[in-house]
Every structure is written in structure tokens, then in C-alpha cells.
Amino acid sequence: QARFERRAGGGLFLLQSFTWSKALDNVAQALETPNGNSSNPQNIRDLRPEKGPAAYDQTLTSVTSAVWQIPVGKGRKIGSQMSALANAVVGGWELSAINNMWSGQPITLRYSASSQFNVGGVSLRPNLLGPALAPAGVRTIDNYFNRDNVVVPTDRSKPFGNAGRNTERSHALYQMDLGIHKDFALPRERMKLQFRGELFNALNKTNFFPATGDRSSSGFGTIRSTFQPREAQMALKLYW
């Protein structure tokens, strides 16, 4: 983990945080089972294959933040003697930006056994014959996994596949949020009105949810959801 912080001149503040981590476990919590995870093991008599990245593992996290108090207005470098009216219009503004870059979420490949397998209460994983991800050149939202390399067991005596837990990853996430705010002084002592404008996912980057990892599903290897697109909001807050 690393952190860089600097208060530069002209009202500029910078903060960079970077984390490289790995979280391991051998089972997901009952209420935290995203992307094919389960609170049940595949084979209760052999828990060794259950060890793997946790459902919440996020290998790389980079967050860059910047706040700039624009040096215009009363008490600032430019226009410190401007009139109250001019200051209310052009003085005292502050800009902010937060850029997030995160590793993709873990995905556990799984399948649903037919009744002839007579297996219940466990979470079954398929066999891998090669890389689970489709080659980069043909990997799309309709073809994220290589279907030929992810195979459902057909031998009733060997229902437990060789795929591990959380071996695959979804797309990484990239998002920049922007903000602007200003405090307006009011006639009464200590009272002020704060305006805030915020733009989430300002670049309108399409960030995909994880692909379906259930080999028994007709939607296996497809992505049909995204995180929020660009979203704007404005607010006023009264302090007294």
C-alpha cells in the first residue's frame, strides 16, 4: 500500500492512494455470494480445492483525488478586494475530481447437476480443458468465456470439476467523478448556504458487470448489465 499527499501552491491539494492486495479464503459467507460464489463447498470430503481468492478480493486499487480552491475572490490571491456582489458570482469556487481504477471482480465458474448425479447441498464447478477466458480478439459481451474449454462433467462418479474458486476476473472499472461547490455567506451570523454540483462517471465510461459463470445456463459467458452511466446532481445546504 502506498499513499502520496501534497498541498501545492495556489490552493491545489493532491492525493494518490494505491493498494496491491490479495484476500484468500475457502468459502464465501452465506449473504455474500456474488458471481458464482457459494457458502457450500464442492466436495465436503476434500476442502483443499476450495482455497482461493475471496469473493471480495480486489487486487489493484488506485484512487487519485484533487481539490482546487480557485484563487479568485475575497481572501484569495486574485480579487481579494472585490465587491460582495462580484464575490458572490465569481469568487470562492472550489473544484474537485476523483479518479477510480479497480481490478475486476472474481468469478467462480459453476454448473447445475442433473438429477441423475444425485448430488445436493454442494456447489459444483466444471472441468477446465484450457484457459476459461475467450481469446482477447474474440472476447465480447456475448462471448466472455471459451465454451469449448469449460466442460460439465458427464461421469456420475466424478461430479466434481477441476476448476478452482474465483479463478476468473471481470472487466476492470474506470470512473472519474467531478464536483464543484461554493459557500454563500448570509446576513445572519454564522449562517451560510452551500451549493454543490456533482458529476458521477463524468466521462460516461461503460463499466461492465461480471459475465454469467454458470455453465448450465443459456446465458453462460454473456454480460447483460453495466454500472451506472453518467449521473449529475445538484444540492443546496443551509448551515446555521
Side-chain angles (χ1 to χ4, degrees):
Q1 186 173 12
R3 174 188 175 100
F4 171 80
E5 185 174 339
R6 178 174 176 79
R7 189 177 296 277
L12 180 63
F13 174 78
L14 300 173
L15 175 63
Q16 170 65 49
S17 299
F18 177 79
T19 302
W20 181 19
S21 64
K22 188 172 186 178
L24 298 171
D25 60 15
N26 59 9
V27 70
Q29 296 299 313
L31 300 179
E32 299 176 351
T33 56
N35 310 328
N37 276 270
S38 173
S39 58
N40 298 317
Q42 175 175 240
N43 182 358
I44 60 175
R45 294 184 176 85
D46 184 8
L47 298 181
R48 288 175 300 175
E50 302 305 308
K51 184 177 180 180
Y56 53 83
D57 179 58
Q58 191 167 294
T59 308
L60 299 175
T61 303
S62 178
V63 181
T64 305
S65 306
V67 178
W68 183 35
Q69 293 180 334
I70 301 176
V72 177
K74 284 190 173 182
R76 300 190 178 183
K77 186 175 181 179
I78 302 173
S80 59
Q81 304 300 320
M82 67 173 50
S83 67
L85 179 59
N87 186 69
V89 176
V90 300
W93 290 96
E94 182 175 292
L95 302 177
S96 62
I98 302 176
N99 187 60
N100 292 284
M101 297 185 292
W102 306 340
S103 294
Q105 300 177 35
I107 302 174
T108 294
L109 301 175
R110 61 189 306 175
Y111 77 93
S112 301
S114 61
S115 57
Q116 64 178 344
F117 274 70
N118 195 28
V119 177
V122 294
S123 178
L124 297 172
R125 298 190 292 273
N127 284 316
L128 293 182
L129 306 182
L133 292 179
V138 296
R139 191 183 310 154
T140 66
I141 61 173
D142 297 315
N143 185 49
Y144 194 75
F145 294 121
N146 188 331
R147 291 174 171 81
D148 294 334
N149 287 346
V150 183
V151 179
V152 172
T154 56
D155 186 345
R156 289 191 303 169
S157 65
K158 299 178 181 179
F160 309 122
N162 61 13
R165 289 179 58 249
N166 291 320
T167 55
E168 311 309 319
R169 292 277 174 173
S170 67
H171 289 92
L173 181 142
Y174 302 94
Q175 178 169 316
M176 176 178 285
D177 303 329
L178 301 177
I180 182 171
H181 96 265
K182 174 178 169 59
D183 292 336
F184 296 88
L186 298 178
R188 294 192 61 179
E189 185 180 2
R190 292 189 301 231
M191 289 187 66
K192 66 178 181 180
L193 184 67
Q194 184 183 84
F195 166 78
R196 298 192 69 89
E198 294 166 319
L199 197 61
F200 302 102
N201 193 8
L203 302 180
N204 206 27
K205 173 76 169 62
T206 302
N207 290 301
F208 293 104
F209 269 79
T212 300
D214 186 348
R215 190 61 180 92
S216 300
S217 169
S218 59
F220 174 72
T222 62
I223 301 173
R224 293 296 178 262
S225 300
T226 63
F227 289 90
Q228 289 290 339
R230 183 189 296 122
E231 182 177 329
Q233 70 177 28
M234 293 182 289
L236 289 174
K237 182 184 290 187
L238 178 64
Y239 292 87
W240 73 90

